[in-house]
Amino acid sequence: MRDSNGKLNNSGKLAVLVISVLFAVAVIGVGATMIYQKSGFRGTYNKAVQLAIDGEYSEAEELFQSIEEHHYKDTDAFIVFCRSADMYYGKGNYEYGHSRLDEMNFENLTDEQNAVIEDFKAALTKDYKAGQKKKKSEETATTKPAPETTKPEPATTKTYQEPTTKKPSTNKDPYGANEFAHPDDFYYDHVDDFWDYEEAEDYFYENH
């Protein structure tokens, strides 16, 4: 392709030109593909975010999963949120979502979107704590020894003792159940003194 003076002849120049054009086309094609894909991710992502914020969790999760492999913006966190919210609101399962709270870290939310997410986290945490308290109360109730149904017979060899002059305790009702007209009022005034409402209600009727 070079002449005797070391210069490119016409055919060599043409080959270089063709290679340059093909390279430029390839670069432009790759760039265009990347731009198209990014644009597609953005559209899918934005639609999924709006569905999630509107409470359409199942549909939103499907869209997020379609771009999950690219980890676009808060996609991973939204998948956990949608799944947790669907199980919480639809099935009353708050334990799953509470165990995944650390994975709901968002970095691209608007103030309005962030408020929705934080409200969900607060409600989820509140119900989880209430559920744990109730569960603990039920476990405690099942482990309490059963009350004796019969009193043991007194020993026949026990010697007779003169009755003492000690007066019976007058502190039979330390919480003052008799001062309340309804167990609800009594419970809310002594909510920290009993495991749950049932225990407070039993005490109320025993001492009223």
Side-chain angles (χ1 to χ4, degrees):
M1 292 185 180
R2 294 179 180 272
D3 56 20
S4 59
N5 294 322
K7 297 181 179 180
L8 289 174
N9 56 26
N10 291 336
S11 60
K13 292 179 179 179
L14 179 60
V16 171
L17 178 62
V18 170
I19 293 174
S20 299
V21 171
L22 291 176
F23 179 76
V25 170
V27 171
I28 294 174
V30 171
T33 300
M34 293 178 65
I35 293 174
Y36 173 77
Q37 288 179 339
K38 186 174 182 180
S39 176
F41 297 159
R42 182 167 58 248
T44 300
Y45 175 84
N46 290 339
K47 182 178 180 181
V49 169
Q50 191 58 52
L51 287 170
I53 296 302
D54 290 342
E56 302 295 335
Y57 307 116
S58 297
E59 188 175 349
E61 183 181 351
E62 290 182 6
L63 289 179
F64 281 123
Q65 287 179 333
S66 70
I67 59 174
E68 181 180 8
E69 61 182 298
H70 304 287
H71 306 289
Y72 185 71
K73 290 189 175 182
D74 291 325
T75 295
D76 296 336
F78 264 116
I79 289 176
V80 177
F81 166 73
C82 290
R83 193 168 300 165
S84 300
D86 187 48
M87 295 180 71
Y88 173 61
Y89 292 120
K91 304 173 184 177
N93 184 339
Y94 44 76
E95 292 186 352
Y96 173 84
H98 188 268
S99 68
R100 307 291 295 275
L101 281 176
D102 291 341
E103 299 177 47
M104 296 185 215
N105 295 319
F106 298 86
E107 298 179 356
N108 301 278
L109 298 177
T110 64
D111 291 341
E112 180 182 358
Q113 293 166 352
N114 186 66
V116 173
I117 299 296
E118 291 303 316
D119 286 347
F120 165 73
K121 288 182 178 181
L124 182 69
T125 301
K126 180 180 179 181
D127 280 355
Y128 173 79
K129 290 182 177 180
Q132 289 299 104
K133 183 177 180 180
K134 181 179 179 181
K135 183 178 180 180
K136 183 177 180 181
S137 175
E138 292 173 349
E139 291 176 349
T140 302
T142 57
T143 57
K144 287 183 178 180
E148 295 183 1
T149 55
T150 58
K151 294 183 179 180
E153 293 292 332
T156 57
T157 58
K158 185 177 180 180
T159 58
Y160 175 80
Q161 295 181 352
E162 290 291 334
T164 63
T165 59
K166 184 179 179 181
K167 296 181 179 180
S169 173
T170 59
N171 196 25
K172 182 181 178 181
D173 179 20
Y175 298 114
N178 200 40
E179 299 175 5
F180 296 85
H182 195 274
D184 288 353
D185 299 330
F186 173 73
Y187 173 67
Y188 288 120
D189 199 58
H190 295 280
V191 66
D192 294 327
D193 299 321
F194 298 91
W195 277 109
D196 52 20
Y197 176 84
E198 287 75 11
E199 185 180 10
E201 184 180 34
D202 291 342
Y203 179 92
F204 173 86
Y205 286 117
E206 289 173 1
N207 296 278
H208 201 268

